[in-house]
Amino acid sequence: MNVLDPLVARYASWLSLPGEATADISDEDPDNVVLMPMVLRIERNDPPERTALLEASAAAALAVCLDERCAEGGEWHEAMRGWISGRIRKVARRARGSHWDAVQELPGVTVEVGAAQVRAFLPMRVADMPKELSRLQISGSELAVDEPGPVKPDAPVLWLPPDVPMSAGKSAAQVGHATMILAALLHGDGMDAELGAWRDAGYPCSVRQADEETWAKRHPGDDPESAWRSHGVAVVRDAGFTEVDPGTVTVLAQWPSS
């Protein structure tokens, strides 16, 4: 059993029905929200490139989910399985210097891509978030758009939409959703060899801003299941809690064999 299995069962219904994307949270107790914190290392005088930071975010979110401690019987399994079975929410914060060093002691996985570093943590209730995380700022994570060059060979491409502005923190969470969905669909289709090879390589991916033609060509319309079966395209549809409208497609993730 894979900790990501609940995603497989819910994937198509998430995208074809409005319920999850327009969920009413008016009665939700903010302290009881369970989410995955992600911390982006952004040093004041030497910030990373935006693309590398997003690629590290995408890999880190999946790496912590599929860490051996999250496997059935592992010490992290119940916390991770419970989060994935509910609303999958993340929050990205920024850290530098001693604050970055401090969060390395908390349960999670750090991924480095080039000069960019991101740590994704075991999901937790907001009320239980330790001060090393809660004191970090959510805002201020914006980075200039860079020129990333060619995509990585034999790795998925995570396409960001051409007309939906998102902060680096919001984008980091969305590409993390995308790699989780890709891994869940691979496992659900019995492609564990491909998933294992991706894991062994460190979950590399390319994050790119799509132009209108690229986005239109890959967008699955109202048939996300066929898009995956036929073209290897998985979709992230946001619930609209922050920055974007409910139901917005924030990432199109293309598996490289398609």
Side-chain angles (χ1 to χ4, degrees), residues 107-118:
V109 175
T110 297
V111 169
E112 184 171 349
V113 174
Q117 292 177 286
V118 174

Side-chain angles (χ1 to χ4, degrees), residues 25 45 48 54 62 92 94 106 139 153 186 190 192 194 209 233 248:
I25 59 170
N45 296 323
L54 296 182
L62 181 55
R94 60 178 173 85
L106 302 176
S139 61
L186 289 171
D192 289 324
E194 289 86 345
Q209 192 82 37
V233 173
T248 299

Side-chain angles (χ1 to χ4, degrees), residues 7 18 37 56 61 80 92 99 106 121 153 171 199 213 222-223 228 240 244:
L7 281 181
M80 185 62 72
H99 286 181
L106 302 176
F121 298 86
S171 299
R199 179 197 60 226
E213 181 180 359
D222 59 359
D223 194 2
W228 172 250
V244 303

Side-chain angles (χ1 to χ4, degrees), residues 5 15 20 39 92 98 107 125 151 154 166 192:
D5 282 350
L15 297 173
E20 187 75 15
V39 174
S98 61
R125 288 196 317 141
V151 300
D154 302 318
M166 294 185 289
D192 289 324

Side-chain angles (χ1 to χ4, degrees), residues 11 18 30 36 51 80 91 101 103 107 116 121 123 125 147 159-160 162 165 169 188 195 209 221 250-251:
Y11 176 66
M36 174 188 283
T51 298
M80 185 62 72
V91 62
D101 294 337
V103 301
F121 298 86
R125 288 196 317 141
E147 294 293 336
W159 297 101
L160 300 175
L195 180 55
Q209 192 82 37
T250 53
V251 185

Side-chain angles (χ1 to χ4, degrees), residues 55-230:
E55 292 174 352
S57 300
L62 181 55
V64 71
C65 290
L66 296 185
D67 187 280
E68 61 183 11
R69 290 163 288 187
C70 291
E72 192 166 10
E75 60 185 298
W76 292 358
H77 178 76
E78 291 303 319
M80 185 62 72
R81 182 80 174 187
W83 173 67
I84 289 173
S85 297
R87 286 179 180 156
I88 297 177
R89 296 164 72 168
K90 300 182 177 76
V91 62
R93 299 173 182 265
R94 60 178 173 85
R96 61 174 66 100
S98 61
H99 286 181
W100 170 256
D101 294 337
V103 301
Q104 301 307 303
E105 302 301 318
L106 302 176
V109 175
T110 297
V111 169
E112 184 171 349
V113 174
Q117 292 177 286
V118 174
R119 188 169 180 83
F121 298 86
L122 193 64
M124 62 188 71
R125 288 196 317 141
V126 170
D128 298 331
M129 191 174 293
K131 67 178 185 342
E132 290 89 347
L133 289 173
S134 62
R135 69 186 176 186
L136 300 178
Q137 296 294 315
I138 297 175
S139 61
S141 62
E142 200 46 62
L143 296 167
V145 175
D146 58 282
E147 294 293 336
V151 300
K152 296 179 177 69
D154 302 318
V157 182
L158 312 181
W159 297 101
L160 300 175
D163 55 357
V164 181
M166 294 185 289
S167 68
K170 178 70 173 181
S171 299
Q174 300 306 298
V175 296
H177 294 339
T179 51
M180 288 174 59
I181 290 171
L182 278 177
L185 293 174
L186 289 171
H187 177 67
D189 279 358
M191 298 170 67
D192 289 324
E194 289 86 345
L195 180 55
W198 191 25
R199 179 197 60 226
D200 293 344
Y203 305 114
C205 63
S206 297
V207 176
R208 296 293 185 270
Q209 192 82 37
D211 57 30
E212 292 186 3
E213 181 180 359
T214 299
W215 188 259
K217 181 179 178 180
R218 288 166 174 77
H219 199 292
D222 59 359
D223 194 2
E225 188 170 359
S226 292
W228 172 250
R229 301 289 182 200
S230 302

